[in-house]
Amino acid sequence: MIAKVLMVLAFNRASLGDSAEGQRLLDFADACAFPEDRGMLLHQRALILWQSGRLADALRWFETSEPLLAEHGPDNIYAALFYNRALVWRDLGELRKGMESIQRSIELYNKIDVPVNRARANHIEALLWLDLGEVAKALSAFDLVREQFRTFAPELESFIDASYAEALLYVGMYRQAAEHWADSIASHRLAGDRRTAAVNEFWRAVAAFEDNRFDLGEQWARKAMESLYEQGNEPMAFLARLLILQGQFDSGQEGPDFADKVHRLCDALEQRGWTMRLGQAKILAARARIKAGDLAGVEEVLQVEHGGPGHDALAEDLARYLAKAELTIAQGKDPMPELQSGLDLLDKYRMEFGSVEFQAGVSALGVQLSSKGLIHTTNHGTPAEMFWWAERCRGQALRIPPVKSSVDPDAREALGQLRQARQELWDLQMAGENAAETLARVQSLEETIRNHDRSKPGPGRQEERIASDDLHQLAESRETVVVSLYEVDGFLRVILAGGDGLQHVRLIPLDAAVELERRLGADLDALGKPFRLPPRLQTSVEGSLRRNASALAEGIWEPIADYVGDRQIVIVPHSRLAWVPWPLLPQLRGRPITVSPSAEAWWRAVQRSVATGPALVAAGPALSRAGGEIETIAGLHPGAQLITADESDPEMVLKALDGASVAHIAAHGHHEPDNVLFSRLDFAHGPLNAYELLSLDQPPSHVVLSSCDLGRSTVAVGNETLGFTAALLHAGTSTVVSSLGRVPDDMAAEMMIEYHQRFAAGASPAEALAAVGEHRPWHPFVAFGA
């Protein structure tokens, strides 16, 4: 009995961060334990060694305890042996061995029927699926385990928050990952589990550094490092120190003897048998030596391949390709093959995901490779090479066919519940009543649908890349100039295609252009207020808009005006200039302009076959002139299906959208920057979410959204754009006309009737919008796509 009490005390002290005291108590227990209890004692010793980062020693004691536990039990500890050994194998990166061990544990827990422990084992199995690269499979398993925890052990649900954080980290969604880890850290601190809280603090710091939030990352890493040292977990503390050094290197703040500091930490980890992130640390040391001009022996270090599945292997491979590219530059050679190979690897990884959010986020994992390529081609390449590489850096998710997850029966049911909840929320808010409970239900349903979407596997294929010459020739044949904007060394750059050969021009500093965009957006928002501004204020705001538009035109347009001539324009904006109202620039007023997420997306939209079904004209509630607007527009399209505001139903609208040649929708919309899949249009019987557009079999060729700000988009970490308009383009719509700001109902109705008159008479969307906007002092409408 004394021995068993000491074992429990030993584990508790170790969990509170005092591993040395835990081992000392086990020494006392060893002197009085019965022979049949030695397996349990040795297992406890192995567990404490694992918690303190001594993985090789832990494995040795687990191995020693296994035959004793098999013979004497107890059965629950014998099952726990395989559970805990799986955790050690996971930390060592031996994922297949970890999977074998945890599945043996699940088998044993099934026999002895301990639901809580079986759920914990299922959780570790899901984490191993995640590590092995089966992200969709892991997310589905996390949902099942969450329900098991809620049933049998609600206090364990915080572990699922950390698991979701890992999945989000693996697809480049760093801020969302950090938020999940923050929730998990708070829960574990409250429960007194300092060890797990400290480990989660480390991973939260990883997410911050990957997101280039260096000051915050260092703050979190130092906190994690201190906690891990206090608990005697030296290897994880060393990793936190390495993380700080990585941040200093990436932010250009590495000090003297930097490479030696990294090498010493790597050596310390190897001496303790630790392998997690060790390969990445060695690559960091190699990059530091390359930067310092010390190239001796670096090539040999970078030849060591990691191999294996999963995110950690991918991250190490991407870091290796980046280091190899930096080495070739230092040697005066061409780095592009190494950078290309890294991004090709990332392409394969991206195709594994069915979620558009995940596809977009994955691009973040290759930002350093993309940036290195852009810098090198800009300084040493031809305009054709610059153009091709700029296309490698944007619109990558648009190359992957949509996975129609919203057609799944479970997703459809959740969407129906979401519509009802949103309608209830609207009614409560209009009545001025407390809507907190309904808002929480809306958020919960959105998260359920989001998780369902994220658990879908990808199509495993993508569109072929388009050569620069092919893009140039198509633009030339259509008397169009493609204006492709990107940034290097703080300056906005442009590649021009479709005129007198491909050309590269350096423009104004990017920060200056972004500030002008911000001012233009503020001007548009002021002019789009639902109430009329006093005349003097209206005149002042319009004057500010003209000045800011002229300043932006001077910095961006005037240097390229001669090349463009009088041709039509396709603008591929830098991600930080996604909200520029290009038609309002003085030199562009009245000129046909299309804004596209990438030149390749424009090329594919031009080549896409045109839907031929009847036009759809629909209205939502609470628009003062929508009835007259849609009736007039429907009359311009023979055979059009007309859906009035009172009868408007999102399911009906979605069905009518499928195969429509053109769709005009006059409904209030909402861009949700923090949850872009649920940017939506309001109809009488509930909202139509951007998420649902990806289920269309044949999206309409041309969509006009005549109200609100659904032309806006959120730029994901990987510089991909997401939003309602982006969802239509991703689904396969060739052209979307939508607004970058609020639109007064009367202006929207007048413009859109005239727009459709011109379009029905044979004008292209860009031509019709240019003619409609030419004599208006301001308007926020833009043609997106082609």
Side-chain angles (χ1 to χ4, degrees):
M1 180 63 68
I2 291 172
K4 290 180 179 179
V5 169
L6 287 170
M7 287 183 220
V8 173
L9 288 173
F11 180 75
N12 288 341
R13 291 307 298 264
S15 296
L16 292 171
D18 194 346
S19 298
E21 176 64 10
Q23 292 288 5
R24 193 177 72 82
L25 290 170
L26 286 182
D27 289 339
F28 286 125
D30 204 4
C32 54
F34 289 153
E36 56 267 29
D37 290 333
R38 274 195 60 76
M40 188 162 49
L41 187 148
L42 297 179
H43 171 267
Q44 206 80 328
R45 192 179 293 280
L47 188 56
I48 293 174
L49 287 166
W50 166 65
Q51 289 182 326
S52 59
R54 294 170 59 183
L55 306 185
D57 292 338
L59 281 176
R60 188 173 67 253
W61 286 109
F62 278 136
E63 185 177 354
T64 305
S65 68
E66 181 178 350
L68 297 173
L69 289 170
E71 182 178 356
H72 301 291
D75 291 342
N76 65 313
I77 300 298
Y78 185 49
L81 164 75
F82 293 96
Y83 172 94
N84 291 319
R85 189 154 56 184
L87 294 172
V88 179
W89 285 127
R90 183 176 184 238
D91 281 351
L92 286 168
E94 296 283 357
L95 304 181
R96 298 296 181 190
K97 291 180 179 179
M99 185 63 78
E100 290 173 8
S101 190
I102 199 63
Q103 288 176 346
R104 174 64 172 145
S105 176
I106 292 170
E107 179 186 331
L108 291 169
Y109 279 131
N110 282 333
K111 289 180 180 178
I112 61 176
D113 193 25
V114 183
V116 174
N117 289 349
R118 183 170 59 236
R120 289 167 63 102
N122 288 334
H123 180 217
I124 302 306
E125 182 186 37
L127 284 170
L128 284 161
W129 284 126
L130 180 64
D131 295 335
L132 287 163
E134 299 280 355
V135 178
K137 187 173 184 176
L139 287 171
S140 294
F142 289 154
D143 288 338
L144 294 173
V145 172
R146 185 187 290 276
E147 292 305 315
Q148 292 170 356
F149 281 170
R150 284 176 176 172
T151 302
F152 301 114
E155 71 277 6
L156 297 179
E157 192 174 344
S158 59
F159 285 93
I160 299 296
D161 287 325
S163 301
Y164 271 111
E166 284 193 60
L168 294 170
L169 178 74
Y170 288 3
V171 294
M173 299 177 69
Y174 302 129
R175 299 208 177 193
Q176 296 93 327
E179 289 167 5
H180 276 278
W181 266 310
D183 291 341
S184 182
I185 290 165
S187 297
H188 287 299
R189 284 179 182 158
L190 190 63
D193 186 353
R194 295 175 57 214
R195 177 193 173 276
T196 305
V199 171
N200 286 343
E201 283 172 348
F202 166 81
W203 287 108
R204 181 174 62 162
V206 170
F209 279 121
E210 293 290 352
D211 195 26
N212 294 327
R213 294 190 290 171
F214 298 114
D215 290 342
L216 188 58
E218 181 166 347
Q219 174 188 328
W220 287 344
R222 288 192 183 281
K223 188 172 183 179
M225 182 172 64
E226 291 168 5
S227 297
L228 291 162
Y229 270 130
E230 286 175 8
Q231 296 165 41
N233 191 343
E234 278 192 335
M236 283 293 294
F238 292 163
L239 281 183
R241 175 60 182 152
L242 276 168
L243 194 56
I244 295 168
L245 292 175
Q246 173 82 62
Q248 291 172 352
F249 183 82
D250 288 342
S251 59
Q253 298 176 18
E254 72 274 17
D257 302 324
F258 180 87
D260 288 340
K261 293 176 184 176
V262 177
H263 272 301
R264 286 196 294 272
L265 284 169
C266 289
D267 289 343
L269 287 169
E270 284 194 291
Q271 289 169 9
R272 289 158 176 78
W274 191 274
T275 58
M276 185 172 68
R277 295 177 69 88
L278 181 59
Q280 294 181 53
K282 290 182 177 180
I283 292 169
L284 171 62
R287 292 182 65 201
R289 288 177 56 192
I290 293 167
K291 191 171 183 179
D294 178 13
L295 308 185
V298 170
E299 193 161 358
E300 289 74 15
V301 172
L302 298 179
Q303 292 306 317
V304 179
E305 296 294 335
H306 181 283
H311 171 266
D312 284 348
L314 173 70
E316 185 173 321
D317 286 337
L318 294 179
R320 182 175 292 103
Y321 281 121
L322 180 63
K324 286 182 176 181
E326 291 170 343
L327 178 60
T328 58
I329 291 172
Q331 294 170 334
K333 300 176 184 177
D334 181 12
M336 303 311 289
E338 300 293 351
L339 297 171
Q340 176 71 48
S341 296
L343 291 182
D344 286 347
L345 188 64
L346 197 60
D347 279 348
K348 293 178 182 177
Y349 184 64
R350 185 185 290 106
M351 290 185 288
E352 296 176 7
F353 301 104
S355 162
V356 175
E357 277 187 301
F358 281 6
Q359 293 165 0
V362 162
S363 297
L365 306 180
V367 164
Q368 290 192 70
L369 291 166
S370 300
S371 177
K372 189 74 68 176
L374 269 179
I375 293 169
H376 188 80
T377 54
T378 298
N379 293 331
H380 303 284
T382 65
E385 291 168 335
M386 298 176 206
F387 194 19
W388 190 89
W389 199 261
E391 286 296 294
R392 289 264 13 201
C393 301
R394 57 174 146 226
Q396 301 308 298
L398 290 171
R399 298 176 57 228
I400 302 174
V403 173
K404 300 173 183 178
S405 16
S406 63
V407 301
D408 183 280
D410 291 339
R412 300 303 310 167
E413 182 179 352
L415 282 165
Q417 293 174 356
L418 175 61
R419 288 200 181 101
Q420 293 174 1
R422 275 219 168 272
Q423 192 64 44
E424 182 182 339
L425 178 64
W426 171 263
D427 293 341
L428 289 171
Q429 290 173 335
M430 289 298 97
E433 299 180 19
N434 188 336
E437 184 177 339
T438 305
L439 176 60
R441 183 163 176 262
V442 166
Q443 293 170 338
S444 175
L445 285 166
E446 287 183 347
E447 191 63 21
T448 297
I449 295 166
R450 229 172 156 185
N451 290 340
H452 178 86
D453 184 62
R454 289 169 173 177
S455 68
K456 290 295 183 183
R461 60 189 178 88
Q462 62 185 358
E463 299 284 355
E464 295 295 325
R465 298 200 177 276
I466 314 300
S468 297
D469 287 343
D470 291 339
L471 291 165
H472 174 68
Q473 288 169 14
L474 179 64
E476 190 175 35
S477 71
R478 296 174 65 86
E479 297 186 352
T480 297
V481 169
V482 175
V483 178
S484 179
L485 296 166
Y486 69 98
E487 177 267 335
V488 165
D489 296 333
F491 282 89
L492 198 60
R493 314 281 183 141
V494 63
I495 298 297
L496 302 167
D500 185 15
L502 289 162
Q503 288 190 21
H504 161 246
V505 180
R506 192 179 84 162
L507 304 173
I508 63 174
L510 177 61
D511 287 345
V514 170
E515 173 60 20
L516 289 168
E517 180 205 48
R518 186 194 65 77
R519 294 178 186 176
L520 279 169
D523 294 337
L524 279 177
D525 282 345
L527 292 169
K529 297 289 185 185
F531 52 85
R532 186 174 295 277
L533 296 176
R536 292 180 64 181
L537 182 57
Q538 177 87 10
T539 300
S540 175
V541 174
E542 288 183 357
S544 173
L545 186 145
R546 283 192 295 271
R547 288 191 299 274
N548 290 320
S550 296
L552 192 61
E554 181 180 352
I556 293 179
W557 182 254
E558 290 184 7
I560 65 175
D562 290 342
Y563 180 98
V564 176
D566 59 359
R567 299 176 183 86
Q568 297 192 20
I569 304 162
V570 174
I571 295 177
V572 181
H574 186 280
S575 59
R576 293 180 64 194
L577 298 175
W579 291 8
V580 170
W582 299 100
L584 298 190
L585 272 59
Q587 297 91 330
L588 303 186
R589 187 179 298 277
R591 184 195 292 259
I593 300 169
T594 304
V595 176
S596 186
S598 73
E600 288 186 352
W602 168 76
W603 190 93
R604 284 190 287 271
V606 168
Q607 308 285 349
R608 190 175 292 131
S609 59
V610 178
T612 57
L616 165 67
V617 183
L623 286 174
S624 60
R625 297 185 58 178
E629 175 185 341
I630 65 169
E631 288 176 5
T632 303
I633 291 171
L636 296 170
H637 299 281
Q641 180 175 352
L642 179 64
I643 300 177
T644 63
D646 290 342
E647 65 182 10
S648 61
D649 179 278
E651 292 280 359
M652 182 191 303
V653 172
L654 192 65
K655 184 177 180 180
L657 279 170
D658 222 337
S661 55
V662 59
H664 178 92
I665 301 176
H668 280 304
H670 309 271
H671 174 66
E672 296 286 353
D674 296 325
N675 202 351
V676 288
L677 287 176
F678 295 98
S679 295
R680 61 195 180 276
L681 288 166
D682 288 337
F683 293 105
H685 299 290
L688 175 64
N689 300 292
Y691 168 75
E692 298 173 84
L693 300 173
L694 300 176
S695 68
L696 295 172
D697 290 323
Q698 187 179 20
S701 296
H702 176 200
V703 176
V704 180
L705 305 172
S706 68
S707 298
C708 299
D709 56 358
L710 289 179
R712 292 191 173 184
S713 58
T714 292
V715 179
V717 178
N719 296 326
E720 304 273 349
T721 55
L722 298 171
F724 202 92
T725 292
L728 279 166
L729 295 174
H730 194 138
T733 293
S734 293
T735 307
V736 181
V737 173
S738 55
S739 168
L740 291 173
R742 301 185 186 93
V743 194
D745 291 354
D746 55 352
M747 172 186 279
E750 291 171 3
M751 285 190 69
M752 291 301 101
I753 290 171
E754 184 180 345
Y755 172 87
H756 279 278
Q757 288 171 339
R758 294 178 180 276
F759 177 73
S764 71
E767 290 168 341
L769 187 61
V772 169
E774 185 171 6
H775 302 297
R776 287 177 166 83
W778 68 272
H779 73 85
F781 287 101
V782 174
F784 295 93

